[in-house]
Amino acid sequence: MNIQMQVCGLIILVLILYFYKRQDTVGLYTETLFRRALYTCIICLVLDILSVVMIMSQAFFPGWLVRAECKLYLLSLGATGYVALVYACADAYGLTRVNQFVKRMGIVAAAVGVLIFLLPIHIYCEGRDVYTYGPSCIATYISAVLLILVTLFYTAKRGNGMNPRRRRAIRIWMTIWLISAGIQLLNSQVLLVGFAGALGIVVLFFELENPEANIDRNTGFFNARTFTDYIKYKYDSGEEISCILLSLDNAHANDIRVEHIVDIMEEVTELVRRVPEARRFKTDDREFTLVFESNEQMERAYNMINNRFQREWLEDMESVTPVSLQPYYLLVPSGKVAESADEMMGFLRYFKSHCVDNPEKYVIMIDEESVAKKRDRDVMLAAIMKAMEDDRVEVFFQPIYSTHTKRFVSAEALVRIRREDGSIIPPGLFIPIAEETGLIVKLGERVFEKVCHFITERCPEQYGVEYIEINLSVVQCEAKSLAKCYSDIMDKYQINPAFINLEITESASIVMKKTLLDNMRALINYGVSFSLDDFGNGQSNLNYIVDMPVHIVKFDRDMTQAYFESEKARYVLQAATDMIQGLGLKVVAEGVETAEQLRELERLGIDYIQGYYFSKPIEEERYLEFLKVKNASERQNE
Ligand code: C2E
Ligand code: MG
Ligand code: MG
């Protein structure tokens, strides 16, 4: 009897079923489909073996029963092909479309099944060679080959939308089947097709359906890959979920000594294990994601975890680690905040980086409000990139007045983005986003280059301008290449470096301060001078002025305004001015809006005045006009 192959296949499938059943599955649709394929294949092999046995023992069974059994086997063969097709499409087309497809194709499949069952079948039995042939078999082979080809077609057509491992596994399965069907067609005695189905299941199991591969070995929770699949499945099926992402991977946790991390992670794993009603995922080294069916469950779990961290934990841990242990949380309430699973994964990535960069933000609710903000940010980011591409980045100049020479000796260069409709986007809307994404480096270079171009082309020195101030972002100062890049640009435009004054703001980090200082020294050696911008905006530190090689200090608009509103502020500004000038530095007051303010600050001895009283930031042409008129008239007044 030629059933050894089928028996082997059956044993393998039963073993796979055994291992499969031993593990927890997360409940994905593909898991259901895989189980369906596995059962169908087992039934197919059992019927295959049974048909050979019945044919060999025809004497004991009525002929119609043997033929009916053989046809049942053929039907199960077709069913296996059909299940494989549905399994392949579930990934490529999503659940909803596959359900529609199953409904539509189900009728066709049933019709083909009835046809196979009604068509005649012939049985060949000669010694140990046994096989069936005739119209019913031909119909089965044709439909099976068609199913295989359609499956291959879909995996080719929609292959990019599929999990690449699934695509590969399905292709291998289908190819094995086609080859075995071809061999069986040429040599009817070799009954390969049922066994080939079993081989396909083996490939699927080891490539992607082994539940063991979905489990994180250390914790026994589902792993990150399974989380991605799970979210995709939930979005496809339209089911709402709530989740908590809990991470220790932030600035606080970085202070924890490495040898304590293992202990802490063990404790946190136990804590997560105790959270009721949750599907647990270990989504990164120090990160867990818990999925719930309702917001109430999520809130209960959040309170439970947070309480543990807030109180008992810190007391317990005091002996182990001296730092406070503050994880960060992303809470995703149910509801359609994201359009797709990919978008949701993008939100998680984005808000995670937000928490890592801002340690004080340790709970972020990913709800409609925060998502709307993120979307606005994305729109702005795209607008910045497009503006850079289309060269719609412009530089405006705000004149700066010298109280000593009574002339406009300088200007601050301020970036603007012009929208396609001609309107202007102010820097307050895009600079923070450009800084967050690092785009500020390119944007800053572009502004600097435009200013240099302006200086060489329009020679503002002929109208009395002595230097131009240009803002440097903290992010730019972090780049070691800054000094080289800026001096290269000055070389390119043959700029006298004394014409350039770069504005820096205070920066907190010591690591960064070193790079900033290196950059500053290199540029000062080249001939450039520096200003300290935004002095008095809350984070000012007098030591900073002493430490940093700046030539000018710029009083923030708030500080200037406060001078006219409170006596205390008046003393502070006065004392600061004395100290700064005592150090041999110059002072600029920003945000001067009235003649009285100008007079008072002049009386105080402030060196330079910048503000709307003289002019708002204006385009280069208007700035030159301004200089021609104002500096000429000031000269006449002298
Ligand atoms: P900043 O460097 O402190 O620039 C001064 C800001 O105060 C400018 O706003 C200016 O228009 C505004 N201002 C000046 N005088 C007055 C006044 O009398 N009244 C009022 N209400 N405002 C006044 P702007 O142009 O919107 O720039 C805002 C900030 O954006 C700048 O503050 C600077 O931090 C940043 N920025 C602008 N251009 C650049 C750039 O090219 N690179 C970088 N990194 N940052 C820039
Ligand atoms: Mg500035
Ligand atoms: Mg300023």
Side-chain angles (χ1 to χ4, degrees):
M1 270 196 293
N2 42 3
I3 57 168
Q4 293 89 333
M5 301 281 259
Q6 287 86 327
V7 174
C8 277
L10 189 59
I11 294 170
I12 294 171
L13 290 193
V14 170
L15 278 174
I16 285 181
L17 185 62
Y18 168 73
F19 286 116
Y20 193 85
K21 284 278 175 193
R22 267 189 358 165
Q23 289 290 346
D24 221 9
T25 48
V26 71
L28 303 176
Y29 187 58
T30 44
E31 287 167 358
T32 314
L33 291 180
F34 173 73
R35 270 196 301 274
R36 228 177 263 173
L38 178 57
Y39 292 137
T40 318
C41 226
I42 290 178
I43 294 172
C44 176
L45 279 171
V46 170
L47 290 173
D48 194 3
I49 295 166
L50 200 63
S51 63
V52 175
V53 171
M54 282 177 85
I55 293 171
M56 297 292 291
S57 342
Q58 276 182 70
F60 303 103
F61 301 99
W64 64 266
L65 187 62
V66 179
R67 277 193 298 280
E69 203 288 330
C70 291
K71 284 180 181 176
L72 272 181
Y73 158 64
L74 292 179
L75 285 180
S76 69
L77 200 60
T80 317
Y82 181 63
V83 170
L85 175 62
V86 174
Y87 178 82
C89 291
D91 202 1
Y93 289 87
L95 195 60
T96 330
R97 289 187 62 189
V98 161
N99 280 337
Q100 289 168 356
F101 173 84
V102 168
K103 269 192 206 137
R104 232 177 296 139
M105 282 293 289
I107 302 165
V108 181
V112 174
V114 171
L115 182 75
I116 290 172
F117 206 79
L118 292 179
L119 285 171
I121 190 167
H122 307 300
I123 289 167
Y124 177 88
C125 179
E126 189 69 56
R128 293 174 65 85
D129 287 344
V130 169
Y131 61 90
T132 50
Y133 63 98
S136 182
C137 294
I138 291 171
T140 309
Y141 286 136
I142 291 174
S143 41
V145 168
L146 273 178
L147 279 170
I148 292 171
L149 292 179
V150 172
T151 309
L152 284 174
F153 170 75
Y154 277 136
T155 50
K157 189 171 158 221
R158 290 296 291 254
N160 290 342
M162 284 180 84
N163 170 346
R165 290 163 71 103
R166 179 160 294 123
R167 190 179 56 210
R168 192 171 57 230
I170 290 173
R171 281 181 181 163
I172 295 174
W173 184 12
M174 294 301 117
T175 313
I176 295 174
W177 239 350
L178 267 187
I179 294 171
S180 63
I183 296 173
Q184 188 162 333
L185 203 66
L186 295 175
N187 186 352
S188 320
Q189 285 93 332
V190 190
L191 302 184
L192 265 183
V193 175
F195 180 70
L199 279 188
I201 296 286
V202 173
V203 173
L204 283 194
F205 180 79
F206 285 109
E207 269 283 308
L208 31 81
E209 296 295 350
N210 180 1
E212 185 95 25
N214 295 343
I215 305 285
D216 172 72
R217 281 184 189 280
N218 292 329
T219 56
F221 302 155
F222 295 113
N223 58 21
R225 198 191 78 187
T226 315
F227 177 68
T228 313
D229 287 350
Y230 186 68
I231 292 290
K232 186 169 183 294
Y233 163 61
K234 286 289 171 186
Y235 266 85
D236 281 355
S237 58
E239 285 173 49
E240 294 196 350
I241 48 158
S242 317
C243 57
I244 299 179
L245 184 145
L246 161 71
S247 174
L248 285 168
D249 202 5
N250 62 1
H252 296 291
N254 283 344
D255 296 338
I256 300 170
R257 294 229 296 277
V258 179
E259 62 265 31
H260 296 148
I261 286 287
V262 178
D263 294 346
I264 292 171
M265 283 309 289
E266 260 174 34
E267 284 248 21
V268 180
T269 305
E270 282 319 304
L271 174 65
V272 168
R273 206 186 299 285
R274 286 202 305 277
V275 173
E277 309 160 303
R279 252 200 180 80
R280 300 168 190 83
F281 298 85
K282 175 92 189 314
T283 34
D284 212 335
D285 254 7
R286 297 190 207 166
E287 176 190 297
F288 300 87
T289 308
L290 301 172
V291 178
F292 304 90
E293 277 167 16
S294 72
N295 285 348
E296 292 72 41
Q297 291 176 354
M298 177 186 82
E299 274 160 28
R300 272 197 297 275
Y302 169 71
N303 289 334
M304 174 186 160
I305 300 170
N306 199 30
N307 277 345
R308 175 82 176 104
F309 273 104
Q310 291 289 311
R311 290 183 280 110
E312 306 150 54
W313 188 289
L314 295 185
E315 285 157 22
D316 292 358
M317 278 292 155
E318 219 71 50
S319 54
V320 182
T321 167
V323 298
S324 67
L325 189 64
Q326 177 60 69
Y328 71 78
Y329 306 88
L330 300 184
L331 306 182
V332 189
S334 57
K336 275 261 171 282
V337 282
E339 297 295 326
S340 66
D342 283 348
E343 194 179 29
M344 176 47 81
M345 296 307 287
F347 287 161
L348 289 176
R349 268 195 305 278
Y350 168 74
F351 287 109
K352 259 158 70 169
S353 67
H354 221 67
C355 290
V356 173
D357 295 341
N358 308 296
E360 68 283 0
K361 285 216 165 120
Y362 64 89
V363 186
I364 291 190
M365 185 76 91
I366 308 186
D367 53 11
E368 306 217 332
E369 195 187 323
S370 56
V371 160
K373 272 196 202 138
K374 186 204 177 274
R375 288 213 174 98
D376 289 349
R377 168 205 170 268
D378 290 347
V379 169
M380 186 52 80
L381 183 61
I384 305 172
M385 297 207 289
K386 186 79 181 29
M388 286 179 70
E389 207 180 296
D390 298 351
D391 198 15
R392 279 184 284 104
V393 174
E394 292 184 16
V395 178
F396 278 32
F397 295 89
Q398 185 176 30
I400 297 176
Y401 178 78
S402 159
T403 56
H404 304 300
T405 64
K406 314 283 184 215
R407 305 184 75 207
F408 292 89
V409 292
S410 173
E412 176 169 3
L414 293 154
V415 65
R416 300 287 184 266
I417 283 181
R418 199 172 285 280
R419 291 195 185 90
E420 276 165 288
D421 66 7
S423 61
I424 291 286
I425 312 179
L429 293 183
F430 62 84
I431 292 280
I433 296 166
E435 288 185 327
E436 185 193 311
T437 52
L439 216 61
I440 190 73
V441 175
K442 284 264 158 291
L443 187 65
E445 278 170 34
R446 179 77 63 91
V447 169
F448 189 65
E449 185 143 10
K450 280 187 184 272
V451 172
C452 290
H453 182 260
F454 166 72
I455 294 170
T456 20
E457 286 294 307
R458 310 305 301 265
C459 308
E461 67 270 23
Q462 60 183 310
Y463 307 112
V465 174
E466 293 166 9
Y467 62 94
I468 303 278
E469 295 179 4
I470 304 139
N471 289 283
L472 268 185
S473 151
V474 172
V475 179
Q476 286 178 279
C477 300
E478 278 173 3
K480 290 207 170 72
S481 56
L482 174 81
K484 166 96 175 62
C485 171
Y486 272 41
S487 39
D488 283 353
I489 295 176
M490 284 183 278
D491 285 346
K492 178 174 157 195
Y493 289 93
Q494 300 194 326
I495 298 287
N496 171 6
F499 219 84
I500 302 291
N501 178 281
L502 296 174
E503 293 186 5
I504 55 159
T505 47
E506 276 185 48
S507 56
S509 124
I510 298 179
V511 183
M512 211 221 81
K513 203 167 150 187
K514 167 147 189 349
T515 319
L516 168 64
L517 270 173
D518 290 346
N519 275 321
M520 285 178 83
R521 282 195 200 105
L523 284 163
I524 288 170
N525 284 341
Y526 187 88
V528 168
S529 65
F530 280 86
S531 296
L532 179 68
D533 199 4
D534 296 346
F535 185 82
N537 76 348
Q539 331 176 357
S540 311
N541 175 354
L542 287 175
N543 284 340
Y544 202 84
I545 301 177
V546 181
D547 284 354
M548 301 306 276
V550 290
H551 307 80
I552 297 174
V553 176
K554 297 189 76 172
F555 288 166
D556 184 64
R557 177 168 169 264
D558 288 349
M559 181 152 168
T560 309
Q561 293 294 332
Y563 179 86
F564 301 99
E565 284 156 18
S566 106
E567 191 145 343
K568 247 189 198 166
R570 200 166 323 178
Y571 283 122
V572 172
L573 192 136
Q574 222 156 356
T577 307
D578 287 346
M579 192 208 77
I580 294 163
Q581 289 178 335
L583 287 167
L585 311 179
K586 303 280 186 215
V587 174
V588 180
E590 279 188 312
V592 175
E593 294 187 347
T594 64
E596 291 88 309
Q597 291 175 355
L598 169 67
R599 265 198 304 276
E600 178 61 17
L601 294 169
E602 263 191 303
R603 193 194 58 76
L604 195 70
I606 301 282
D607 303 279
Y608 302 105
I609 303 289
Q610 177 182 352
Y612 286 2
Y613 172 67
F614 289 120
S615 168
K616 289 190 169 181
I618 42 179
E619 284 110 323
E620 87 180 31
E621 211 59 57
R622 282 182 58 202
Y623 171 54
L624 291 173
E625 284 305 316
F626 176 96
L627 287 174
K628 272 188 230 168
V629 176
K630 294 285 177 178
N631 276 356
S633 62
E634 294 295 343
R635 218 170 317 168
Q636 281 158 14
N637 291 346
E638 272 170 25

